[in-house]
Amino acid sequence: MGFRKKNKSPPVLSHEFVIQNHADMVSCLAMIILLGLMFEVTAKFAIMFITVQYNVTEVQDEKQEAVNLYQYGPKDVATVFFYLLIGVILHALIQEYILDKINRRLHLSKTKHSKFNESGQLAAFYLFSFIWGCSILTAEDFATNPTFLWEGYPHTRMVFQVKFFYICQIAYWLHALPELYFQKIRKEDIPRQLYYICLYVVHISGAYVLNLHRLGLVLLVPHYLVELLFHASRLFYFSDENKQKGFTLWALLFVIARLLTLTLSVLTFGFGLPRTENQGFSFAEGNFNVLTIRMTCLAAICLTQAWMMWKFINFQLKKWREHSQNQASKKKAVSPKSKPPKREATRGGSANGVVKSDEKMSPRARKAKAS
């Protein structure tokens, strides 16, 4: 783990050395890129990593004011790489100074420890992304008018906040891939995490490249709210197993979010985009409004939602079976036990109606009787 002091340092460039010091290594690389701004020769290359590229100035007819808008291009790969490094550093900071301190107090098992770290990291990211996404939706009026999702397509230009939001989203989910190695994720947990990381990267990158960033943003915000509630509930559950009310609210919102995603997707790809004026395929103009791409996008979203619902149903059935087993075990523990057998000796030293004084007699009395 980065920033962690160890008494015995492992061999240089060994696996353990890289895992313990990966945040320091990544910080040095990020500092080298930032230092490139100080020199005129390297400044133009460093800016490509740090700032958002492809700035376009547009004059709006209504306000007669120049507005800075942005497009996407190949240089965005460098920007994503830099903020991927920032994501690794922030991940290590949250782990070291927040989650590890809480883990020491809770004394969790290895399995719960791994899940607690995962939920802690994701809850922080979902909270930040949800607040950021809501502020963009409020400023751009994406949510108030549903036709705004497809009117004027292709939406090749976007404001700074929208582009930077997508850059950070792609960078975060790409940074999660090396974190599987840095965090020593268990082998049985790697496939599950790989599934949802790849799904996030494909869907967010697809919305960004296909100029569907309006629809992608509207779908991400409610989805992040649901995921935030789930991981927050799991954190409370690990601290106290009696705190499970959050899972009930999460289950309700999960189903609503899936229905909302399917409704907006069908509305956009099935009814909105086919009726727009710009029909056809043109990579140079950023127009991907053809039947093949529309149906592929809609099928990808529907299959993903179906897979998520399948996992959700299996999760609920598993919880229901565990609850039923716990209730059954409690009933067995509370049920009246069979009557205990009669005592062989009753009060007064009698058994079967015969008094046995010798068994209850003290040693001193026995000695006096023998004499």
Side-chain angles (χ1 to χ4, degrees):
M1 185 64 60
F3 306 108
R4 186 174 296 176
K5 297 180 180 179
K6 298 290 183 180
N7 295 328
K8 296 181 179 179
S9 59
V12 179
L13 299 182
S14 63
H15 290 287
E16 193 64 27
F17 179 85
V18 173
I19 291 173
Q20 290 183 13
N21 302 280
H22 73 274
D24 299 326
M25 297 177 180
V26 172
S27 299
C28 292
L29 182 57
M31 286 300 298
I32 292 173
I33 297 174
L34 290 173
L35 288 174
L37 296 173
M38 300 177 62
F39 305 98
E40 186 177 354
V41 178
T42 58
K44 59 182 179 180
F45 297 103
I47 290 176
M48 183 175 61
F49 286 88
I50 300 170
T51 61
V52 178
Q53 302 296 309
Y54 303 103
N55 183 10
V56 177
T57 302
E58 184 180 274
V59 179
Q60 296 182 352
D61 297 334
E62 298 177 357
K63 299 180 180 179
Q64 294 296 325
E65 296 178 356
V67 180
N68 292 326
L69 300 177
Y70 294 84
Q71 298 174 335
Y72 70 83
K75 293 182 181 179
D76 291 341
V77 177
T79 312
V80 169
F81 174 75
F82 177 78
Y83 288 99
L84 183 152
L85 302 180
I86 301 301
V88 173
I89 297 171
L90 293 177
H91 191 115
L93 289 173
I94 294 174
Q95 185 66 44
E96 178 71 18
Y97 295 104
I98 299 177
L99 297 180
D100 284 351
K101 291 183 178 180
I102 298 175
N103 275 323
R104 295 190 192 101
R105 296 180 180 179
L106 296 179
H107 304 289
L108 300 175
S109 62
K110 290 183 178 180
T111 303
K112 290 184 177 180
H113 184 273
S114 177
K115 293 181 178 180
F116 182 87
N117 289 337
E118 179 188 3
S119 292
Q121 295 286 348
L122 291 176
F125 170 74
Y126 288 138
L127 177 61
F128 175 76
S129 298
F130 173 72
I131 296 174
W132 191 5
C134 286
S135 66
I136 296 174
L137 291 179
T138 304
E140 298 299 321
D141 295 330
F142 284 175
T144 56
N145 185 12
T147 60
F148 196 62
L149 298 175
W150 58 81
E151 281 184 352
Y153 183 86
H155 308 135
T156 56
R157 298 179 180 182
M158 61 194 95
V159 297
F160 172 80
Q161 288 291 337
V162 174
K163 176 162 185 175
F164 193 49
F165 178 84
Y166 272 91
I167 292 290
C168 292
Q169 293 296 312
I170 298 172
Y172 179 86
W173 291 113
L174 287 177
H175 113 279
L177 294 174
E179 286 294 343
L180 297 177
Y181 169 72
F182 294 146
Q183 299 297 325
K184 293 183 179 180
I185 302 300
R186 299 185 307 164
K187 291 183 178 179
E188 54 269 26
D189 291 337
I190 290 178
R192 176 183 60 83
Q193 296 192 25
L194 273 177
Y195 287 151
Y196 71 74
I197 290 172
C198 293
L199 285 174
Y200 275 117
V201 172
V202 171
H203 283 73
I204 296 174
S205 301
Y208 183 68
V209 173
L210 297 177
N211 293 315
L212 296 169
H213 52 83
R214 295 181 181 179
L215 175 64
L217 187 60
V218 171
L219 296 183
L220 273 178
V221 170
H223 173 75
Y224 279 171
L225 174 62
V226 175
E227 293 299 309
L228 169 63
L229 182 59
F230 171 76
H231 289 285
S233 300
R234 194 156 74 161
L235 290 175
F236 286 115
Y237 172 76
F238 288 142
S239 62
D240 186 0
E241 294 187 355
N242 294 324
K243 297 179 179 179
Q244 301 186 22
K245 295 181 179 179
F247 290 109
T248 305
L249 179 60
W250 163 75
L252 177 62
L253 293 180
F254 183 89
V255 177
I256 296 175
R258 303 287 73 79
L259 294 175
L260 178 63
T261 300
L262 290 174
T263 302
L264 292 177
S265 300
V266 172
L267 190 65
T268 301
F269 293 109
F271 299 96
L273 290 177
R275 299 181 181 180
T276 58
E277 297 178 358
N278 296 325
Q279 300 288 328
F281 178 84
S282 176
F283 187 80
E285 297 178 0
N287 188 5
F288 305 95
N289 193 7
V290 292
L291 180 62
T292 305
I293 295 179
R294 291 199 303 267
M295 291 299 100
T296 302
C297 293
L298 183 59
I301 294 175
C302 292
L303 289 175
T304 302
Q305 301 307 307
W307 178 76
M308 293 177 68
M309 281 301 301
W310 173 256
K311 300 289 289 184
F312 172 77
I313 292 172
N314 288 334
F315 176 80
Q316 294 298 328
L317 290 176
K318 180 181 177 182
K319 288 294 183 182
W320 179 76
R321 285 194 294 265
E322 291 178 355
H323 179 72
S324 299
Q325 291 176 358
N326 292 334
Q327 292 296 326
S329 61
K330 288 181 180 179
K331 288 181 180 180
K332 290 182 180 179
V334 175
S335 61
K337 300 180 180 179
S338 57
K339 294 183 179 180
K342 294 182 179 181
R343 296 179 181 179
E344 294 182 356
T346 58
R347 186 167 50 182
S350 64
N352 296 327
V354 180
V355 178
K356 296 183 179 181
S357 58
D358 292 342
E359 294 180 0
K360 297 295 181 177
M361 193 176 296
S362 63
R364 183 176 297 178
R366 289 178 185 176
K367 186 176 180 180
K369 183 178 179 181
S371 61

